Amino acid sequence: MSKGLKIILFWSLVIPAIITILRIITDSFLGRGIELFSYSAVFLGIAAAGLIFAGPLNYFISKSQQE
């Protein structure tokens, strides 16, 4: 797998999963109700941002640092 694909997958799958899990843990500690529909919207929104903005941006940054 190429380095660019790894970076984009990291920012579009791993980071949204970590943020969503942290939100679920925070809400469970605060005693709020856990609604999976709400968390799926958060996950998909962060994944889209990672796929469109953060992944390519970090790829170009790492590529420019190599040169």
Side-chain angles (χ1 to χ4, degrees):
M1 207 177 343
S2 70
K3 184 177 180 180
L5 184 60
K6 286 181 186 178
I7 291 173
I8 291 175
L9 283 176
F10 177 77
W11 283 99
S12 63
L13 293 176
V14 176
I15 295 296
I18 291 171
I19 291 173
T20 305
I21 290 169
L22 288 174
R23 286 200 57 190
I24 291 171
I25 291 170
T26 303
D27 285 348
S28 67
F29 280 137
L30 295 175
R32 298 179 185 160
I34 295 175
E35 299 176 11
L36 293 179
F37 187 72
S38 171
Y39 297 114
S40 64
V42 169
F43 176 81
L44 291 175
I46 297 171
L51 185 62
I52 294 170
F53 297 113
L57 181 64
N58 282 309
Y59 172 71
F60 289 128
I61 289 171
S62 68
K63 192 172 181 179
S64 69
Q65 289 176 349
Q66 289 176 355
E67 295 174 356

